[in-house]
Amino acid sequence: MNIHYLTLFPEMYDGVLNQSILKRAREKGIVNYHTVNFRDYAENKHNQVDDYPYGGGAGMVLKPEPVYNAMDEINTKNARVLLMCPSGRPFDQKFAEELSKEETIVFINGHYEGYDERIRNIATDEVSIGDYVLTGGELASMTMTDAIVRLIPGVIEEESHLDDSFSTGLLEYPHYTRPREYRGMKVPDVLLSGNHKLIEEWRQEESYKKTRERRPDLLENFNEKNEK
Ligand code: 6GU
């Protein structure tokens, strides 16, 4: 998979893409990350990328030319082109699974008050990571990259995400490792029983309980799916 980031702050990506699993995925040749500073594609002397809004009002608007010119330079054939904005489609695990199957993803990261409306025409999707406003799309695109890349086959053990919260429709059950007792806190007996059927039932029950307490909204979907 090739992932391109159109950004005015390419250095923001340096740490995140060069650590841990995202780094290892690149080293394995499974994914390649490319940052493009679209200021380099501005058409005026001062490399200006934003301008005052027609019709007046507060804030600056991202000009179309730098973004279109930068897009001309990368291979966007069959690419998913994601415009990062708080008014986009909410990103979730299902969306991550869909994007993990793509050959090429382009993130367009704006700052300022907004995008010139014509920039929307080169995007295939508009995406948001939640109901709050960020100063720019960069952190959102890194969050999404993390969620997407770990789902590409070969990046982590397949089994580690079969049980993920949201993949199963429920939140994850509690995990324990050694020691059996720590500061008076004991590992539940069932996990030491060696009875795999009982353990499976306990985990299902704990997942269900946690979901009911914390995210009852998820249960509607889960119950619907499991009644069919
Ligand atoms: Cl993708 N961008 C910005 N600027 N704010 C956001 C967001 C994206 N998702 C949630 N808030």
Side-chain angles (χ1 to χ4, degrees):
M1 179 188 288
N2 278 294
I3 309 182
H4 303 267
Y5 306 92
L6 269 61
T7 175
L8 297 171
F9 303 95
E11 293 87 358
M12 283 182 76
Y13 292 88
D14 292 349
V16 171
L17 302 180
N18 282 306
Q19 301 287 330
S20 186
I21 290 171
L22 299 185
K23 175 190 185 182
R24 213 164 60 231
R26 176 166 47 72
E27 287 172 345
K28 285 183 173 173
I30 295 170
V31 61
N32 239 310
Y33 312 112
H34 317 268
T35 53
V36 181
N37 189 336
F38 60 83
R39 189 178 297 283
D40 298 340
Y41 296 90
E43 292 187 353
N44 42 61
K45 266 214 299 273
H46 302 289
N47 287 341
Q48 185 190 354
V49 293
D50 60 331
D51 207 340
Y52 297 101
Y54 276 121
M60 299 294 270
V61 176
L62 197 61
K63 293 166 66 60
E65 307 95 311
V67 176
Y68 272 84
N69 291 340
M71 288 291 284
D72 287 342
E73 292 292 305
I74 53 187
N75 180 12
T76 53
K77 203 166 151 263
N78 302 321
R80 287 296 278 272
V81 180
L82 312 178
L83 189 72
M84 306 302 284
C85 56
S87 55
R89 168 180 167 190
F91 184 64
D92 59 11
Q93 192 65 20
K94 195 164 148 264
F95 200 174
E97 278 160 17
E98 179 185 328
L99 291 173
S100 73
K101 298 178 176 76
E102 295 288 345
E103 198 56 50
T104 310
I105 297 176
V106 183
F107 289 98
I108 302 176
N109 302 297
H111 275 253
Y112 314 112
E113 205 57 34
Y115 297 97
D116 183 286
E117 195 62 20
R118 291 161 290 190
I119 293 174
R120 300 192 189 280
N121 295 339
I122 43 174
T124 57
D125 305 79
E126 299 185 21
V127 189
S128 160
I129 63 162
D131 294 342
Y132 40 82
V133 177
L134 303 169
T135 57
E138 283 79 5
L139 289 169
S141 71
M142 286 186 252
T143 299
M144 286 179 59
T145 297
D146 193 296
I148 293 164
V149 169
R150 67 187 285 283
L151 294 175
I152 304 173
V155 173
I156 56 175
E157 281 178 62
E158 205 84 20
E159 285 163 7
S160 336
H161 46 75
L162 292 182
D163 282 350
D164 283 348
S165 292
F166 311 113
S167 292
T168 60
L170 296 176
L171 300 179
E172 257 201 286
Y173 53 79
H175 303 275
Y176 289 90
T177 187
R178 285 183 287 191
R180 281 171 80 140
E181 184 172 343
Y182 182 68
R183 299 195 182 199
M185 298 175 280
K186 291 189 175 129
V187 176
D189 285 333
V190 60
L191 297 179
L192 309 168
S193 69
N195 184 330
H196 295 293
K197 186 165 171 286
L198 273 185
I199 292 171
E200 188 48 41
E201 282 169 10
W202 179 84
R203 286 178 169 166
Q204 272 284 336
E205 182 59 29
E206 291 295 316
S207 279
Y208 199 85
K209 252 176 23 195
K210 186 185 274 187
T211 310
R212 197 176 49 218
E213 279 166 24
R214 299 186 179 183
R215 294 293 304 275
D217 58 300
L218 296 178
L219 280 184
E220 282 179 37
N221 257 328
F222 178 79
N223 289 333
E224 226 170 74
K225 244 199 242 164
N226 287 273
E227 272 159 22
K228 276 177 197 154

